[in-house]
Amino acid sequence: MRGSVSLGRKIKTFATKMVITSGNEGDRGDQEKESKEESILAMLGIIGTILNLIVIIFVYIYTTL
């Protein structure tokens, strides 16, 4: 019984340490790089969607003539 209490305390201490710790400068640089990559991919997705809509409109106009 006593072993389980100390195990519970160790788990709580470990969980607290995990929450308190913060990333170093290298992690921040990686996060900024990933954020930039994500924004570029989002912009490419928007551009691709607009181009697809333009193609659909032209195909619709061409097939209805």
Side-chain angles (χ1 to χ4, degrees):
M1 174 116 177
R2 186 173 182 183
S4 63
V5 172
S6 64
L7 179 62
R9 287 182 183 171
K10 287 180 183 178
I11 291 173
K12 287 180 182 178
T13 303
F14 181 72
T16 304
K17 287 180 182 176
M18 292 298 289
V19 171
I20 292 173
T21 58
S22 62
N24 57 16
E25 293 296 323
D27 290 340
R28 289 182 187 168
D30 292 340
Q31 288 176 353
E32 289 175 3
K33 184 178 178 183
E34 288 178 6
S35 176
K36 186 176 180 180
E37 290 175 355
E38 288 175 357
S39 64
I40 291 171
L41 288 174
M43 186 63 69
L44 288 174
I46 293 169
I47 292 169
T49 302
I50 292 170
L51 290 175
N52 283 332
L53 289 173
I54 292 171
V55 168
I56 290 169
I57 291 169
F58 279 123
V59 168
Y60 177 75
I61 292 171
Y62 181 75
T63 57
T64 56
L65 291 178

